[in-house]
Amino acid sequence: MVADPHGPEEDRKPQSDEAHSAFAPPAGVEPPVPPEEDHPSSEFAVPDWLTTGTADEPEGSAFRPPSAFDARMAHPAYTPAPGSPPVRLAKDAPWQDRMRTMLRMPVSERPPAEAAQRHEEGSGPAVPRVLDLTLRIGELLLAGGEGAEDVEAAMYAICRAYGLDRCEPTVTFTLLSVTYQPSLVDPPVTASRIVRRRGTDYTRLTAVYQLVTDISTEGVDVTLEEAYRRLALIRRNRHPYPGWALTLAAGGLAGAASVLLGGGVAVFLIAAAGAMLGDRLAWLAAGRGLPEFYQFAVAAVPPAALGVTVSLLHAGLRPSAVITGGLFALIPGRALVAAVQDGLTGFYITASARLLEVVYFFVAIVVGVLTTLYVGVQLGAKLSPEGTVAPVERPVVSILAAMALSMTFAILLQQQRSTVLLAMLNGAVAWVVFGAVAVTAEGSAVLATSLAAGLVGLFGQLMARYERTTSLLYVTAAIGPLLPGSAMYYGVLNIAQNNMDAGFASLARAAALALAIAIGVNLGGELARMFLRAPATAATRRAAKRTRGF
């Protein structure tokens, strides 16, 4: 049997379509060679042209560590493996300290909120109403002269008390805003409020602080309706002193300041009359709708005019004490302290606006006094600037005058009667320290002022922590005897007598004294918060050393 040369029979059968590919080359045709760029390769493979390490270039790859690299010399991680230690705040510490500490730490490190106010079962806080209440309370605090950081702390305390944890308050000179974000995926809710009117009423400020304390305290049930009701009562609350009492207090303040500068009974009465007349003129200008700049300028004219009159009459009195006493009732001491405090705590926009406001007030006082003194110099008034700085050593009389000045200042600030005595004592301590350093020891007036203001801030913060209220009640009136009225008058008088260099140097000295007061008050308050214990917190003070603001 001869074999078939074409192979077996099954090989000669035609193949089906599934047996070969339509893209397969026909029999007898060589398959094409794929181009070089189509060769399969990994995109993470090192190209052939890149040197991966030779004797000449051992560091050819940019992804290889240098030969001098040592992992043991690398910087440690910023966050340790177990995570950042939790921050625990003492619950019996004042809410101002707790909220200020939380505002000063990063958002990611703040402990979760523990709502102090309970809600109905299954219902959460009414976010729009909570934000509105927060803004209304912040408006009263900012309009009353409170610092921007303290206003933010109060707003943050209200939000956390009603269960709004992720909230951020923002305070500027005329604008308040608060933002709340329910979760990381929900859009934030923002509300704002404009502060248009400002007034000095520390009784109202104390009531607002008490409301914030009750809201942020566990165990004290203050619903939103109750908070709104109390806030409405605070707004409608009448001032504790009538208008005629405020006018008498302005006169008493000017008279006490003139006694501090060496004046007697006659000088006291003349200075008081000038200040009361200036106060009535300022009220008249305010009723006519004039801005505060013109109110200050008008109020500064009567004391200066009476001082020029005393000089022209040759009555043997000290006209410088009359004029300087009137200036003490006009210098915006609290606004200056608040401006410097905002700058030291990082609120630079608010600090700049408040400093500009203080500058305008100073310029208004200078304009009013300078115009009057220029007329008096032209009429032949014998005003000697050297006599304005001559110290008169009368310790007992000076201390009593300082206490009277602080008392009348507290009445002008509309303080409660229960806080006036403590403000008087704080002012007396401030004047004793100033006199001991500047007069008895013949030291620097700026140094003496800063030390006295530091003690005022320290004692004021201690009293505020004990009473759980604002420190303004015990600080603002107490710095009254330290205000640089004499240096301001000295500078204005020299300018009126064409002694420009001496005049501007004295005005710069007045500004330095004012800054020393502000920095001293702020430093004393910070020392009290950092190192001293609040009442009833002796057993829970260990965590306070690891946080700011306690």
Side-chain angles (χ1 to χ4, degrees), residues 302-317:
L306 289 181
V308 170
T309 303
V310 169
S311 177
L312 292 175
L313 294 178
H314 304 284
L317 303 177

Side-chain angles (χ1 to χ4, degrees), residues 125-181:
V127 176
R129 299 193 65 192
V130 172
L131 297 184
D132 180 71
L133 176 66
T134 301
L135 291 173
R136 291 178 182 273
I137 291 179
E139 178 190 9
L140 288 180
L141 292 176
L142 188 63
E146 192 62 82
E149 188 179 32
D150 293 325
V151 176
E152 280 197 359
M155 295 172 64
Y156 192 66
I158 297 170
C159 290
R160 287 179 62 89
Y162 285 106
L164 304 186
D165 185 16
R166 291 174 292 274
C167 64
E168 282 296 329
T170 303
V171 176
T172 59
F173 187 58
T174 57
L175 177 64
L176 298 172
S177 65
V178 58
T179 301
Y180 169 68
Q181 189 170 10

